[in-house]
Amino acid sequence: MKKFLLAILMTSQALLTGCAASIQPITTPDNKKGFFVSCNGGTETWASCYSNSTQACGGKYKVIDKSDTSTPTAHGPIVNRSLIIECQQ
C-alpha cells in the first residue's frame, strides 16, 4: 500500500510540475530590472523559458545564470530548468 501511495504522489508531482512555468521579478546585482524564470517539467523546454524571458522583459535580455537538473524516477524524470535574466534597454 505504501508503494502505491508513493507512486500516486510522485505521479501527481510530475504532472503538476509539467505545467509549472513561472516568472518572478527580481532586482539584479547591477540594480536593474530582472526576472527569475522557471520552466519545469517534461512539457516545458528551453525554448519556452526563452520565450517567457522575452515577454517578461518586453524584448532583449541578458542571461545572468542558467540551471538545468533532471532527477530520474520510476515514472520518468523530474526536470527543473531556470534562468535569471536582466532586462536590456
Side-chain angles (χ1 to χ4, degrees):
M1 182 68 172
K2 276 186 173 180
K3 287 183 181 182
F4 178 71
L5 291 175
L6 181 60
I8 289 175
L9 177 63
M10 292 179 75
T11 302
S12 298
Q13 181 182 9
L15 290 173
L16 289 174
T17 58
C19 47
S22 71
I23 303 169
Q24 299 173 358
I26 62 167
T27 301
T28 67
D30 293 336
N31 207 30
K32 293 184 179 179
K33 179 181 175 182
F35 293 93
F36 175 79
V37 181
S38 66
C39 305
N40 300 328
T43 60
E44 296 288 334
T45 64
W46 280 116
S48 62
C49 258
Y50 296 133
S51 176
N52 288 336
S53 297
T54 301
Q55 285 182 326
C57 285
K60 296 181 182 181
Y61 61 90
K62 176 173 84 172
V63 175
I64 295 174
D65 191 33
K66 180 178 177 178
S67 175
D68 185 11
T69 62
S70 180
T71 306
T73 70
H75 303 284
I78 297 174
V79 179
N80 295 302
R81 295 178 192 89
S82 65
L83 297 172
I84 296 177
I85 61 169
E86 179 179 276
C87 298
Q88 304 290 299
Q89 298 284 320

